[in-house]
Structure formats: C-alpha cells, structure tokens
Amino acid sequence: MKKKNSYGPKRNQPGPSQPQQRVANISYTKGKKRDFGKVNGGVFVYTKPLTVGELSKAINVPVNEIIKYFFLQGKAVTINQTLDDDSIGEICLEFGYDFKKEKVVDAAHFEELEIIDDEANLCSRPPVVTIMGHVDHGKTTLIDYIRSSNVAEGEDGKITQRIGAYQKEVGGKKITFIDTPGHAAFTAMRARGASVTDIVVLVVAADDGVMPQTIEAINHAKAAGVPIIVAINKIDAPGANPRRVEEGLMAHDVISERYGGDAIVVEVSAKKGDGVEDLLEMILLQAEMLNLRANPARYAIGTVLESELDKGVGPKATLLVQNGTLTASDYVVVGEAYGKIRRMTNEYNEVVKSAGPSTPVSVIGLSAVPSAGDRFMAFPTEREAREVAEKRALEKKAATRLGSAAMTLGDLNSLITAGQVKDINVIVKADLDGTAQALKANLEKFSNDEVKVHVLAASAGAISDSDILLAEASHAIIFGFNVRPDARVRAMAEEKGIEIHLHKIIYELLDEMEAALNGLTTKAKVEKVLGQAEIRQIYKVSKVGVVGGCYVTSGCLKRDCKVRLLRDGVVIYEGKLGSLKRFKEDAKEVKEGYECGLTIEGYNDIKEGDIVEGYEMVEEGK
Ligand code: GDP
C-alpha cells in the first residue's frame, strides 16, 4: 500500500557529485610577503598602498612615465613616494587598466571573509529551517514526524541519528532541518555571529493560541531578518481555533494572507501528519522566493551545529556546510583546532564522501571539541590548516577579555560619530504592556537619517534570561521600567556585558537615551544594588507591623538602606527598610546566605515569595 506521506531521501540517492576542482577560499602566507597587486584580465587588483616604483613594476609602466604624468598634473612625485588610492586609480586609467582594491582578510580570521561568487558558479541550495514556538505547542512532535516520515518505497527501517540536523527530500528538492527546537539554540548561534537559519517555522497550538514564547520567537526571527512560516498545530485537538491564532499573531505584525498580509500560514496536526506535506511545500516555495544559492566548487565553509567528545573516536562534530563542498579527506580549521577529516557520515550514519551547501554531516578527526556556533573552513593542504589554527590559538591567548561586543549607552555617541553604528537595538520591559508600547513608540522617534532605533521587543514582565540572550545576539540595550531582573539574570547580563537601564519615570528613561545619542554623559548619582532577599515567612507583630522572615539570596542588605519590593519581577513598592534584625538583635548588615527579619517602613502588604532588593545611591563610576 502506498503510504500517504513520502518525504525523505531515496535510499540510493547520489550525494552532490564531487566537484572536479575546488577553489580555496583564502590563502595563507606566513610572514610578511610584499604584495604589489597583479593585473588580471585588464584589471589591476591590489590590496594596499603602493609606491610609484612598486606600481610601475606591477602594471609594467616605466617609472618615468608615471612621474611625468603627475608632473603634467602639477604634482611632483618621487619613485619612493607612496600613492593613495585615487592616484593609483588615475594612473591605471591613464595607462589603460581598470582597477580594484581588494580587502585582505587574514586567513586566521576567516570568519570575516566575505565570499562573493561569480553568478556562473552559483547553484541553488536547500533552505535551512529552524522550528520555534511556545513550550508544548508541538515542536518536537513536528520535528519527529517530519524526521521519521521516511515512508517512501524502500525507506522503512532507515533510522536517523540525532546529529543536530537532518535533510528531507520533497518532490526532488531538499530541506535541511535544524533539530534542536526552540530559540535558545538559535539565539546562542546568532550571539556567536553564526546565522545558519534561512526560514523559521513558528509552531502555534490552535488550542492555546499566541503565548509568551511565541512572541519571543517572532522577535528573534525578526531581529535576525529571517522569514517566518506559521504552522498552526493541533488542528485535530478539541477546542482548536486556528482563526484565534491568526488574530493573535496580527498584534505582532505577523499577518496572514486571509487578513491581507503576506505571512504564510499552514494548518497542521504534527501528531497525525495532516497538513505537514503542505508545510513542506510552503517551505520550498519560500526558499524559492529567497533564491538561496551557493557555490559547490570551493572549499567548504560553514558552522558547527553540535559537538561532543566521543570516548571511542575523540572529538566529534556536526558541521553544516554553508558554502562550498566538504570532502571526506579535507583539512578543516574550527576554533583553534584543525584536523584531517577521518570519517564523515550523514544523519543515517552512512559514510559520505562529500557534502555540498546546506548539508549537515557528522565528522571525526578534529584535534579538539569545537563549540556549537563556531565557524569552520576547509583548506587544501595540511600545512595551511595547521598554520592557520596555530595562529588562531596564539591570537586567542593574547586576546584579552576586554572589548566585548556588547553595546553600551556610554559609547553610543562615539560609535555613531565614527560611523560604526547605524542601528541601535533596544529591548523594553515594563510593568504594564501599555507602558512598554508607549516607550517603544517614543524610543523609535529618536531615529533620524544617521541612526535608526529598533525596538526588538517591548512587553510586560520581568527582565528574563531570554531577554539577555536576545540582547547578546542583537547587541541590544535593555531598558526596564518598573521591573527588575533577579540576581541570576543580573549576573548573566554582567557576565555577557549587557547593559540594563532601569527607570521609574518615563521621561527620565527617554532623557537618558537622548543624552546617550548626543554623547552627553549624565553625571548624576546612580543606584547600586546591594543585594536581594527572599521573604520566606510572614509574622504579624503587634505595634511593629508585618515582619518578613527572609533569606539573603545575593549580596547583602544594610540597615536603613533603600529597598524595593518585587513580586514576579515587578516593582510593587519602593521605600526604606524599617528594621533589620538577626535573631532578636538589630543588625547593621546581613550577608548572602544568612537569615534575617525585616520590616519595610510604612508598608505592610508583604507576602511570602516576595523579593526585597536593597540599594543605595552612589556617584557614577563608584
Ligand atoms: P514542544 O514542547 O513544543 O516540543 O511540544 P511537544 O512536541 O512535546 O508536544 C506537546 C504535547 O502536545 C505532546 O503531548 C504532544 O503529543 C501534543 N501534540 C503535539 N502535536 C499535536 C497535534 O498535532 N495534535 C494533538 N492533539 N496533540 C499534539
């Protein structure tokens, strides 16, 4: 009987044929060999300023002719004088050459290489898809359904290995699925500068609707500029209401065709498989619109999706080839490690000889375990791979941990003036959604011809680790209005160098942004958080009022310090400590790990589970 779904590669399907010849992406030359440029098909290609003498040799024009040319222009030059780009261009044109200055990227920094392939060498490549959505909306079920629907003739019994990604074939075309659902992996990759995803499939359960992580996923996809296809899942479930999902998404600018927008929406049941075929077709349609292409005839470059230390075979990694072709005997540099691939397998644990663009493969042979998100590049010779890896290791050692990529308000103005920043990404969290939206609208008004302020996310609620991840991935600044991060999130932000700016008055928040844009530093007093304590028990004491039995979870609390009371990350009261006691004794300070009793001056409505955050005002920079 022919089964309904027939996705999946055919058993004996040939892999991409091994290209006859591949071009190297970048060549490694040790030491400082002088490069005077070269003439290539009438075009003089050079990389750095040249002297008159050097240019003369490179384009085969006598020095005298060059000196004469400038002399007639009223400029006196000598043979050892260095020419700027304009002068080099002038001479080239005068003597019948076109010219081009190429940016040189050191092979040890191959991540910076911008590969521009000739049109003629480009072939279409499969889309790389990440599935995101709220917990329990059916991401894993969908991934597993697509993965295991190998029910084409002869496909039964082929079991996919979990290597981080797999490919499906639909009507002769392939789709690559990243099989770690959720946005944590997606964002972690982006934070490391690796964008592997071409299309996000947003799973939303029809019986639940748009939920917080649905919105987060939309924000992540938008920040990465990746198109979204909506899969309304669980249409078989009682209470399924796909229209409600579509309406819910509209509030987040994902507007389906039914409502006049252009978002592709497919109704599916991941459990039963209904609609999954349509979804796959829509992915291919979207991919066609994106016109995804790569050049198989170059050495591979791509990203590590997963890695582990296998006890038997050593470092093992899943690589996603993004451009070029990786073959089973290539030398690969990833991180500071290099190695000759000893074995390369696909998701069926079958040995493959070569892997073209958008293909995930599991490889062994690397000298160390790389990290997910690391970029890799294949080199034609072992010597090159080794030298590049050694140089990277040296540089890594020398690199200080300074200079984090995080964006700070303090250096915003100088970065804008230097032309290094044109887009400022901001995340807004507030106690009320209305306030968040108002702040978003006002912050976006700071956009002008030079800089654009993008509010990546604006919503109600505490500042969470997901906000920090999004900020890290997008170099964003976080503004909190009447909300606080808890100690764990604060520590995470500090570790990653993400700035969180907290405010209680709207115009102060906007003033701070304006001042930063204009390069004015506010020398006002700033608050310094002392620590946090959790209220674990409530006692009513006559004459004193309500006493909270607390445990100091981070930092310390000091007698008379200013405090704010947080419930679910939202500030519900601000004031001052009334009293602070250890056992029955007044205490000057209670440190992390100790219990204490406290009252808040003039406030009795404290509850178990509330967080008391102590702070003091200090001069900036202290
Ligand atoms: P994830 O957290 O998004 O990965 O969600 P799961 O894939 O683990 O699914 C959560 C629950 O929803 C599981 O109990 C699934 O069996 C169920 N589920 C997933 N897809 C469907 C569906 O299409 N219909 C129904 N009725 N249940 C589904």
Side-chain angles (χ1 to χ4, degrees):
M1 192 183 82
K2 179 135 174 37
K3 293 187 188 147
K4 193 170 157 220
N5 294 307
S6 55
Y7 326 121
K10 311 279 177 295
R11 186 180 278 283
N12 293 320
Q13 190 187 309
S17 59
Q18 191 167 333
Q20 291 294 304
Q21 243 186 346
R22 289 176 297 165
V23 292
N25 295 310
I26 196 164
S27 65
Y28 183 74
T29 39
K30 214 175 175 185
K32 284 205 180 82
K33 224 163 79 185
R34 282 293 278 152
D35 172 14
F36 301 141
K38 56 177 183 288
V39 176
N40 198 344
V43 184
F44 175 58
V45 184
Y46 70 107
T47 57
K48 49 184 140 194
L50 300 170
T51 64
V52 170
E54 289 161 354
L55 179 64
S56 145
K57 274 198 204 111
I59 60 173
N60 200 20
V61 169
V63 172
N64 288 346
E65 291 290 321
I66 297 179
I67 293 179
K68 192 168 120 199
Y69 170 83
F70 283 118
F71 181 75
L72 293 176
Q73 305 288 316
K75 275 188 266 179
V77 299
T78 62
I79 183 167
N80 290 322
Q81 189 158 337
T82 304
L83 298 172
D84 60 18
D85 290 339
D86 287 346
S87 305
I88 293 175
E90 257 179 69
I91 293 293
C92 286
L93 293 180
E94 175 68 17
F95 294 96
Y97 296 106
D98 206 345
F99 62 96
K100 187 170 139 198
K101 186 171 185 184
E102 266 183 2
K103 187 179 164 216
V104 256
V105 174
D106 187 330
H109 308 150
F110 59 73
E111 287 89 346
E112 293 165 17
L113 187 67
E114 196 188 331
I115 294 179
I116 301 165
D117 282 302
D118 273 350
E119 274 295 304
N121 297 332
L122 288 169
C123 303
S124 82
R125 64 170 177 86
V128 179
V129 177
T130 298
I131 295 183
M132 302 212 264
H134 194 71
V135 64
D136 275 348
H137 279 197
K139 297 179 293 292
T140 314
T141 311
L142 182 62
I143 287 170
D144 287 348
Y145 183 85
I146 298 172
R147 176 206 291 280
S148 60
S149 54
N150 295 333
V151 286
E153 310 78 64
E155 280 297 323
D156 305 76
K158 254 186 138 180
I159 297 169
T160 49
Q161 313 284 309
R162 290 189 187 268
I163 62 167
Y166 61 89
Q167 284 195 313
K168 291 283 2 172
E169 194 170 298
V170 187
K173 290 186 177 154
K174 286 180 178 160
I175 304 174
T176 303
F177 285 95
I178 305 283
D179 68 4
T180 339
H183 50 252
F186 178 82
T187 323
M189 289 253 172
R190 269 218 325 124
R192 313 206 50 229
S195 36
V196 299
T197 304
D198 300 307
I199 297 170
V200 162
V201 168
L202 178 68
V203 175
V204 194
D207 59 353
D208 199 21
V210 172
M211 299 303 277
Q213 285 166 285
T214 318
I215 300 165
E216 282 178 13
I218 294 173
N219 292 335
H220 284 294
K222 283 195 176 159
V226 176
I228 297 171
I229 294 180
V230 180
I232 301 185
N233 189 30
K234 307 199 190 182
I235 45 162
D236 61 298
N241 186 348
R243 290 300 82 73
R244 191 184 56 187
V245 174
E246 283 182 51
E247 283 160 17
L249 288 170
M250 284 213 288
H252 303 281
D253 271 345
V254 178
I255 302 166
S256 64
E257 286 169 338
R258 185 193 308 277
Y259 291 99
D262 55 5
I264 301 177
V265 175
V266 188
E267 293 180 12
V268 300
S269 165
K271 205 166 172 179
K272 300 194 167 159
D274 301 341
V276 175
E277 201 157 351
D278 292 342
L279 174 65
L280 298 179
E281 273 160 21
M282 286 303 154
I283 292 171
L284 286 174
L285 187 73
Q286 175 76 65
E288 224 164 83
M289 292 195 280
L290 292 173
N291 191 22
L292 305 167
R293 296 187 303 169
N295 174 13
R298 58 166 63 253
Y299 280 84
I301 181 157
T303 299
V304 176
L305 295 179
E306 272 189 15
S307 58
E308 61 172 327
L309 185 63
D310 184 296
K311 280 202 197 88
V313 298
K316 196 170 163 186
T318 298
L319 307 180
L320 176 72
V321 178
Q322 291 176 279
N323 200 356
T325 298
L326 187 65
T327 75
S329 54
D330 278 346
Y331 299 95
V332 175
V333 176
V334 35
E336 294 79 51
Y338 82 102
K340 182 178 175 17
I341 294 180
R342 281 195 281 125
R343 188 168 192 265
M344 186 156 96
T345 48
N346 64 11
E347 64 269 45
Y348 300 103
N349 207 15
E350 295 167 334
V351 171
V352 286
K353 287 213 162 62
S354 72
S358 296
T359 311
V361 277
S362 172
V363 301
I364 54 173
L366 297 175
S367 57
V369 183
S371 309
D374 277 347
R375 308 273 291 150
F376 75 85
M377 188 178 272
F379 287 83
T381 64
E382 174 169 17
R383 201 202 54 163
E384 272 176 279
R386 190 184 61 239
E387 287 178 0
V388 167
E390 280 169 0
K391 186 156 183 223
R392 285 165 70 92
L394 271 180
E395 288 187 359
K396 169 113 190 243
K397 240 190 203 166
T400 56
R401 279 183 51 81
L402 289 170
S404 103
M407 174 87 87
T408 65
L409 275 188
D411 34 63
L412 208 52
N413 181 262
S414 49
L415 289 173
I416 295 168
T417 317
Q420 288 179 12
V421 167
K422 295 207 168 49
D423 299 278
I424 301 162
N425 292 334
V426 174
I427 295 168
V428 177
K429 291 309 270 284
D431 50 349
L432 300 169
D433 191 56
T435 317
Q437 300 313 325
L439 283 168
K440 173 179 156 107
N442 278 293
L443 284 167
E444 282 175 346
K445 282 193 198 141
F446 286 120
S447 294
N448 57 32
D449 292 343
E450 278 168 40
V451 286
K452 289 261 162 313
V453 177
H454 304 278
V455 178
L456 301 179
S459 60
I463 295 167
S464 66
D465 39 8
S466 164
D467 295 321
I468 306 289
L469 284 176
L470 178 59
E472 186 189 21
S474 324
H475 306 308
I477 297 165
I478 301 179
F479 281 107
F481 185 80
N482 267 344
V483 290
R484 318 283 307 168
D486 64 22
R488 189 180 53 85
V489 172
R490 187 187 292 277
M492 183 174 164
E494 252 166 46
E495 186 204 325
K496 296 183 185 295
I498 307 293
E499 275 196 0
I500 302 181
H501 295 265
L502 302 164
H503 287 273
K504 296 175 285 232
I505 299 170
I506 290 194
Y507 75 77
E508 282 186 4
L509 188 157
L510 297 174
D511 278 356
E512 186 184 33
M513 183 70 173
E514 186 170 16
L517 287 171
N518 295 326
L520 309 167
T521 41
T522 37
K523 288 249 169 5
K525 278 192 165 183
V526 291
E527 73 166 67
K528 182 178 153 211
V529 172
L530 293 170
Q532 290 189 337
E534 188 185 316
I535 298 188
R536 299 204 161 158
Q537 251 175 332
I538 301 290
Y539 311 92
K540 290 215 167 67
V541 182
S542 58
K543 289 195 199 133
V544 179
V546 181
V547 175
C550 296
Y551 179 79
V552 181
T553 50
S554 68
C556 69
L557 289 185
K558 287 185 183 167
R559 187 169 59 195
D560 295 336
C561 72
K562 293 184 177 230
V563 287
R564 54 175 68 90
L565 191 68
L566 311 176
R567 198 165 289 161
D568 300 324
V570 172
V571 181
I572 54 167
Y573 183 76
E574 292 215 38
K576 194 164 163 275
L577 276 190
S579 61
L580 181 66
K581 287 182 193 284
R582 284 269 303 144
F583 305 105
K584 295 250 151 75
E585 300 293 309
D586 277 331
K588 220 169 135 197
E589 180 179 315
V590 181
K591 292 211 167 94
E592 179 176 337
Y594 289 95
E595 290 177 337
C596 61
L598 59 80
T599 59
I600 297 178
E601 212 172 73
Y603 189 81
N604 277 334
D605 186 26
I606 53 177
K607 294 204 163 66
E608 275 176 33
D610 285 353
I611 303 289
V612 177
E613 182 173 270
Y615 65 98
E616 52 191 14
M617 302 304 286
V618 295
E619 277 186 16
E620 211 163 16
K622 292 218 171 145

